[in-house]
Amino acid sequence: MNGISIAVFLSFGLFVEIILTQLAILLVLARIGVGKKEYYRYPLNLTMFSAVSLIGAFTFWLLGGDHQSIDFTSFQDIVAIFGYAITVFVVNQLFIKMNHRVFYKRNVKLFDKGFLWEIQSSLIVLPVGFVLFVLYTEIGRIAIFYMGIPFVMIAIILKLLYSYQEINRYLEETGEIGHQLTKKMVVNEVYDVFISKIANLVTMDCAYIYMVVDEHLELVRFTDAKNEIQPTHSRLSKNEAFSGMVWEENKPILYNNSKEWSFLKANKIPKDMESVISLPIETNNSTIGIVTLVSKEKNAFGKVHLRILDILTNYFGVAIENAKNYEITKLNSEKDGLTKLYNYRYFNNAVEEYGSNITKSSIYSLILLDLDHFKQVNDKYGHEAGNEILRLFADTLTEFIGEKGLVARYGGEEFVISLPHINLTEACKLAESLRALIAETPFPVMKHIFPHNDVEYVSVTASIGVSAYPDHCETLNELIRHADRAMYLGAKQRGRNKVAVYQELQPN
């Protein structure tokens, strides 16, 4: 339009150029499908481009130009023509940026990629428009035919160049996103990286990430461009809304305006949305989730977005599976296989981590338990029954301690309880209550070593040692040793089924 408008302005004047520009704007707005809610764009753009034409013409005349008598060899006329072209370009860019800030509340920069693209295209198109004017002046209307073909070819080349640049940009950013996803070993971090990068990569208003959980889709992440919208649902069934359709059919969908999906009654997205793109997340030939993006703009997404998002969802699916496998492996390395409690290695790391941040005002207590005469239980009822008691005993400890501390299996029939922020007095009360609970709680077991697996209730007792920081030591590393000493010397050797405190063993 810029190339044609300069030829029309120089040949026929301002009025004809404005009429041509207005018609072009109407065609563009009709082509992109401006909806009822955006009808304001018609008067806005018509007014804006009329103002651009008027200011450009005023600059042309101010520099001494006269479209009725242009001399191509006149320096003044050449300056006037260049002044007109530059003014139209600059004023047009200013209006565009102002439009983004005022009407769309977008914080845009003047010298962005769009500005550079306009400079490149204008440097190609404007000289061709000037040549059209020269030829029209010399040979008449046939010049439109001669220059029309180059204009069409230039338009096609510019469109292909723009598409190439966009695809290349998308591919570069897609590769970087894939690289960042593969580095995350926690599933929630994978979700966060993916949705934040998608929001920056693709222009959209809302994004949803669902994961398949049992027989429904669970909404695990949601974001909107302005942080003003809250999701109206947390799960979907098959064939429900866009994501449910994609899950059922295992095919992506792309809608460019709301009329295309008017058949869908419950779409679960904000009412003013127009464009929708939704894709399955697949790994090992199965769908594990759905990604859905929506936009208020018509024709917001195209085939290029479909291809890019298809690549990204593949990265995403692989990253999720890797993170899940890592978390399972990590959990198995931290948990005791029999009791499902944390093992001693995890417990020791937790104590060291807490100890690295300890201060003078910190308090920390530790309880060490050992089941009394447990070998006799194994001999009488069998090792399977003994293992069952250990599992039930671990459940009892976990339920009793709750959120107060960390329970771990120390080894064999020994268990340890870490109690951050609990002083010695409170720890002793907990230990005594726990001792009484254990002694009063019979555990049901099967007598596996006999022909008939009858259920029998077995009572056990525990010897318990307690130590605390800073009462008994200067560093947390000494706590386990002190608690162990209290348990054996103070509880085991004094009759078992007792609670002993390390301080009581010290000479007066």
Side-chain angles (χ1 to χ4, degrees):
M1 189 176 68
N2 288 338
I4 297 294
S5 64
I6 190 172
V8 172
F9 172 76
L10 295 176
S11 299
F12 302 103
L14 175 62
F15 179 74
V16 177
E17 188 270 335
I18 290 178
I19 296 299
L20 176 68
T21 302
Q22 301 297 296
L23 290 174
I25 289 298
L26 291 174
L27 288 173
V28 169
L29 293 176
R31 174 66 181 84
I32 64 176
V34 175
K36 294 181 180 180
K37 295 180 180 179
E38 294 186 322
Y39 277 167
Y40 69 89
R41 292 175 65 178
Y42 283 93
L44 174 64
N45 279 275
L46 295 177
T47 302
M48 184 175 70
F49 279 94
S50 296
V52 171
S53 298
L54 288 169
I55 296 173
F58 177 76
T59 302
F60 178 77
W61 293 324
L62 189 66
L63 295 174
D66 184 356
H67 65 272
Q68 295 182 348
S69 58
I70 295 179
D71 182 3
F72 306 135
T73 62
S74 170
F75 177 76
Q76 183 177 358
D77 286 351
I78 296 298
V79 170
I81 293 172
F82 270 96
Y84 169 81
I86 294 172
T87 300
V88 168
F89 173 83
V90 172
V91 174
N92 184 45
Q93 289 298 308
L94 291 175
F95 277 147
I96 288 173
K97 305 304 179 185
M98 183 178 66
N99 184 29
H100 277 288
R101 287 180 177 270
V102 175
F103 289 95
Y104 295 101
K105 308 301 181 182
R106 295 172 183 166
N107 187 20
V108 294
K109 298 179 181 179
L110 178 61
F111 301 101
D112 56 9
K113 291 183 178 179
F115 182 85
L116 297 176
W117 170 258
E118 288 292 337
I119 290 179
Q120 295 174 15
S121 60
S122 297
L123 290 176
I124 297 173
V125 172
L126 290 177
V128 179
F130 181 73
V131 172
L132 173 60
F133 162 69
V134 174
L135 284 179
Y136 183 82
T137 303
E138 297 295 330
I139 63 177
R141 294 178 181 175
I142 192 66
I144 298 175
F145 172 77
Y146 289 139
M147 293 304 298
I149 295 177
F151 257 116
V152 172
M153 296 305 296
I154 288 173
I156 294 174
I157 291 171
L158 287 175
K159 183 176 181 179
L160 292 175
L161 177 61
Y162 181 78
S163 297
Y164 167 77
Q165 290 181 344
E166 283 294 285
I167 292 173
N168 187 55
R169 179 179 68 86
Y170 278 131
L171 289 175
E172 288 181 357
E173 295 188 25
T174 298
E176 178 60 27
I177 294 172
H179 180 65
Q180 293 187 32
L181 287 173
T182 55
K183 293 192 299 183
K184 298 299 179 182
M185 290 291 103
V186 178
V187 173
N188 284 331
E189 291 181 0
V190 174
Y191 294 154
D192 292 336
V193 168
F194 183 81
I195 200 165
S196 64
K197 295 301 180 182
I198 284 293
N200 292 329
L201 180 66
V202 181
T203 302
M204 53 84 188
D205 288 284
C206 298
Y208 303 79
I209 299 178
Y210 301 89
M211 298 307 296
V212 176
V213 179
D214 298 327
E215 296 299 320
H216 65 270
L217 291 175
E218 192 79 27
L219 181 64
V220 296
R221 287 296 183 276
F222 169 81
T223 187
D224 75 287
K226 296 183 179 179
N227 295 320
E228 297 175 350
I229 303 173
Q230 293 295 328
T232 58
H233 62 284
S234 60
R235 60 174 56 186
L236 297 174
S237 303
K238 280 192 175 182
N239 261 332
E240 185 181 5
F242 301 108
S243 301
M245 288 173 49
V246 174
W247 185 24
E248 171 68 21
E249 300 175 5
N250 200 32
K251 293 180 180 178
I253 59 173
L254 174 61
Y255 294 129
N256 289 315
N257 61 75
S258 57
K259 293 180 180 178
E260 295 181 7
W261 42 269
S262 57
F263 64 91
L264 193 62
K265 295 181 180 180
N267 51 63
K268 303 294 185 181
I269 63 173
K271 295 181 180 180
D272 55 349
M273 299 299 167
E274 290 287 343
S275 299
V276 178
I277 186 170
S278 184
L279 301 92
I281 307 166
E282 296 179 302
T283 58
N284 300 322
N285 297 320
S286 64
T287 300
I288 63 170
I290 306 293
V291 174
T292 300
L293 310 181
V294 295
S295 173
K296 295 179 181 179
E297 300 287 335
K298 291 184 178 180
N299 303 301
F301 311 118
K303 292 182 178 179
V304 62
H305 298 102
L306 202 59
R307 292 170 185 169
I308 293 300
L309 288 174
D310 184 52
I311 297 173
L312 280 175
T313 52
N314 287 330
Y315 280 134
F316 189 37
V318 172
I320 290 173
E321 289 301 302
N322 289 342
K324 285 182 178 179
N325 291 334
Y326 174 80
E327 288 184 352
I328 292 173
T329 303
K330 184 173 182 290
L331 185 62
N332 289 337
S333 68
E334 295 173 345
K335 290 292 185 77
D336 172 59
L338 176 64
T339 63
K340 307 306 178 186
L341 295 177
Y342 286 108
N343 56 31
Y344 177 70
R345 181 174 63 179
Y346 178 87
F347 165 80
N348 193 51
N349 290 337
V351 173
E352 287 184 357
E353 182 178 354
Y354 185 87
S356 64
N357 299 315
I358 204 165
T359 63
K360 293 181 179 179
S361 60
S362 298
I363 53 175
Y364 194 104
S365 296
L366 190 140
I367 298 175
L368 187 65
L369 305 91
D370 183 77
L371 294 178
D372 298 325
H373 303 299
F374 196 71
K375 183 179 182 301
Q376 296 176 10
V377 175
N378 286 330
D379 292 341
K380 183 176 181 180
Y381 300 100
H383 285 281
E384 289 188 33
N387 288 339
E388 183 62 24
I389 290 177
L390 291 176
R391 282 192 288 266
L392 294 172
F393 183 75
D395 294 340
T396 301
L397 290 181
T398 302
E399 184 178 353
F400 178 83
I401 295 300
E403 301 296 325
K404 297 184 183 72
L406 172 70
V407 181
R409 188 181 183 189
Y410 190 62
E413 59 269 19
E414 290 185 324
F415 299 83
V416 64
I417 302 172
S418 167
L419 298 169
H421 315 300
I422 290 182
N423 60 32
L424 178 61
T425 302
E426 189 175 351
C428 289
K429 291 180 181 179
L430 283 173
E432 181 57 36
S433 298
L434 183 57
R435 183 205 61 77
L437 175 65
I438 295 168
E440 297 168 0
T441 305
F443 298 100
V445 298
M446 305 290 289
K447 298 171 67 175
H448 295 281
I449 62 176
F450 295 101
H452 301 288
N453 292 333
D454 298 329
V455 176
E456 184 164 333
Y457 287 86
V458 179
S459 295
V460 296
T461 61
S463 297
I464 302 175
V466 182
S467 62
Y469 171 90
D471 303 75
H472 304 146
C473 56
E474 296 181 356
T475 64
L476 296 188
N477 294 332
E478 301 174 76
L479 277 178
I480 190 72
R481 185 171 68 253
H482 293 339
D484 189 52
R485 179 178 173 83
M487 182 184 69
Y488 277 98
L489 298 181
K492 289 285 187 184
Q493 293 185 8
R494 294 181 180 178
R496 293 179 170 82
N497 190 24
K498 296 180 182 297
V499 174
V501 181
Y502 176 74
Q503 187 176 9
E504 297 172 352
L505 304 178
Q506 304 305 305
N508 294 329

